[in-house]
Amino acid sequence: MLFCSIFLGISMMTFLRDFHVSSCEESCTDKPVFTPSRLVVRFGDPTFASCSVCQHDCINNLYKLESPVGLTTTNGTTISWTVNRLTEWEASPICYYSIKKTNYQCCTTLPVTVYQPPDNVSISFVDPTEPMLEGQQCTLQCTVEDVAPVENLTVTFYRGRTVLSQQRSNIDATKKKPVTDIFSLNITLSKEDDGVQYWCEAKLELGPDGPQPPPVVTSQNITTTVNYKPQLEGSSHPDPITVTEGNPLQLSCSAVGNPSPSYAWTPPPESTSTSNSSNITIIAATLADEGKYTCSASNSAGTVTVEFNVDVQELSATNYTGIIIGLIVAAAVVILGLVGYSYCYKHNRMGEYNLKDVFRPHRWHAAVPTAE
């Protein structure tokens, strides 16, 4: 019976104490003041704060600092709170005083944010298909492991150095312990994404009382390989392409694509020219080379084709005459050059000569005897 009475008395005292602490007035005039007014502590680190209980209202009354962790020391109306290693996720101490006559209680709670940067941040594609194709929609996923508090977490997706998206967690903000959260971003691939690096970043933004700069953990980079069908390079050709018989002709259908494209040419029926590269070259065009040329650039993602209409103009009599005259002039120049060379060579063998005399008519004079 006595044991039951003692147990009941202790239980009532605990109830009354908890009731008073939980229902204390935080808007009172002469309220306790913490220094600093807010703490941001990394999990496992030491911390310290002091409470000036009051200026005059707590004199000759009860006052105390309550916390689930740490040690307190009192010096007058100042109470110090010290924790060597903070491992409690919810450890906000309460500093209060109670007026004996009325049981009125005035208190202040010290906000304590216990944080932990992510243990790991990773990025990946959700159910990626191989190969990845231009125009394909896919989902990037950034996984942030064991971070607290999640309400202060911001995740940023990057494409190279370009910010794609910033996201906050949807997990219940009242959770103070570390959690793992997954963030997603939908993108549509283009050929410009081939070889691009994607990554994500997790940042704990804890305000001016937190560490500066804020803790940041980044993922690894993932490099995308995007297959896309060939696309033609360069400017368009005139239609038709006109070339004179006997002159050279070159056609090009150079294209870019991933994988690198292969080429196939279909010449006119009577032409014997062919190629398996991006260019087809005809040294001297003939009338048989006239017609439509089709070039196909292909890879596993698709094919692009381009057509060239070639018009070969036949040489006319006027053109033949001009060619003959040109050949005669060229032959004359060669002959004159050989004659000049021969003359210079002979004079060089016999003595000095003057280049001006090479093509000048010469007058021969008889030698005149001189008197002795």
Side-chain angles (χ1 to χ4, degrees):
M1 184 68 177
L2 178 61
F3 174 77
C4 293
S5 299
I6 294 173
F7 178 77
L8 181 59
I10 294 174
S11 299
M12 289 298 294
M13 290 175 62
T14 303
F15 171 78
L16 290 173
R17 185 194 63 183
D18 292 342
F19 173 80
H20 291 310
V21 172
S22 62
S23 62
C24 66
E25 178 65 48
E26 293 200 14
S27 60
C28 42
T29 304
D30 194 10
K31 62 185 295 184
V33 176
F34 274 104
T35 303
S37 60
R38 180 173 181 259
L39 284 176
V40 179
V41 186
R42 183 167 182 155
F43 183 81
D45 282 359
T47 190
F48 170 85
S50 63
C51 174
S52 178
V53 182
C54 69
Q55 297 297 318
H56 57 82
D57 285 353
C58 64
I59 306 301
N60 299 322
N61 286 293
L62 298 175
Y63 51 87
K64 191 177 181 181
L65 188 149
E66 291 186 358
S67 173
V69 294
L71 300 175
T72 60
T73 56
T74 303
N75 183 8
T77 57
T78 300
I79 305 175
S80 298
W81 178 63
T82 304
V83 181
N84 293 327
R85 187 170 181 270
L86 185 55
T87 56
E88 180 69 35
W89 293 102
E90 298 185 33
S92 295
I94 299 176
C95 185
Y96 68 96
Y97 63 88
S98 299
I99 298 176
K100 295 178 182 178
K101 294 181 180 180
T102 61
N103 287 330
Y104 173 80
Q105 191 174 72
C106 179
C107 66
T108 298
T109 301
L110 174 63
V112 178
T113 300
V114 183
Y115 72 92
Q116 176 177 290
D119 285 344
N120 184 55
V121 176
S122 61
I123 191 170
S124 61
F125 282 100
V126 179
D127 299 328
T129 60
E130 294 294 342
M132 303 177 78
L133 300 175
E134 181 182 19
Q136 176 183 339
Q137 289 189 344
C138 55
T139 300
L140 279 171
Q141 183 172 279
C142 183
T143 303
V144 183
E145 301 177 17
D146 294 329
V147 60
V150 71
E151 63 176 314
N152 295 95
L153 178 65
T154 299
V155 167
T156 304
F157 286 88
Y158 288 89
R159 179 185 183 273
R161 295 183 177 273
T162 303
V163 174
L164 296 179
S165 174
Q166 286 189 327
Q167 300 179 19
R168 303 297 294 265
S169 176
N170 292 323
I171 295 179
D172 184 3
T174 60
K175 292 184 178 296
K176 303 302 180 184
K177 294 183 179 181
V179 297
T180 295
D181 201 358
I182 298 175
F183 302 81
S184 298
L185 177 66
N186 294 324
I187 61 173
T188 300
L189 296 174
S190 67
K191 69 172 185 175
E192 286 76 18
D193 289 311
D194 185 43
V196 168
Q197 291 185 330
Y198 286 92
W199 55 287
C200 62
E201 169 190 274
K203 180 187 294 185
L204 274 178
E205 298 178 305
L206 299 163
D209 297 314
Q212 301 298 328
V216 173
V217 180
T218 60
S219 71
Q220 81 285 10
N221 295 335
I222 56 173
T223 303
T224 55
T225 300
V226 181
N227 285 6
Y228 57 95
K229 75 175 186 178
Q231 297 181 357
L232 295 173
E233 291 185 309
S235 57
S236 60
H237 294 270
D239 190 28
I241 298 172
T242 302
V243 60
T244 302
E245 184 180 7
N247 286 345
L249 171 66
Q250 185 177 66
L251 305 176
S252 175
C253 69
S254 179
V256 293
N258 189 35
S260 296
S262 59
Y263 298 90
W265 286 86
T266 303
E270 297 183 5
S271 176
T272 58
S273 300
T274 186
S275 174
N276 58 2
S277 70
S278 60
N279 298 324
I280 188 170
T281 301
I282 300 173
I283 297 176
T286 67
L287 295 179
D289 296 316
E290 184 175 85
K292 182 175 70 175
Y293 292 76
T294 302
C295 174
S296 297
S298 304
N299 64 13
S300 59
T303 300
V304 63
T305 60
V306 59
E307 294 182 351
F308 305 89
N309 292 307
V310 175
D311 181 16
V312 179
Q313 292 186 344
E314 185 177 2
L315 283 173
S316 63
T318 303
N319 291 334
Y320 280 117
T321 302
I323 292 174
I324 293 172
I325 294 174
L327 291 175
I328 293 174
V329 171
V333 170
V334 171
I335 292 171
L336 288 175
L338 291 175
V339 171
Y341 174 78
S342 176
Y343 180 84
C344 293
Y345 179 76
K346 289 180 180 180
H347 276 260
N348 187 43
R349 291 284 297 247
M350 299 180 66
E352 294 183 355
Y353 62 90
N354 190 333
L355 290 175
K356 294 181 179 179
D357 295 333
V358 173
F359 297 104
R360 180 184 298 171
H362 292 76
R363 298 177 181 177
W364 300 95
H365 300 280
V368 179
T370 57
E372 294 184 357

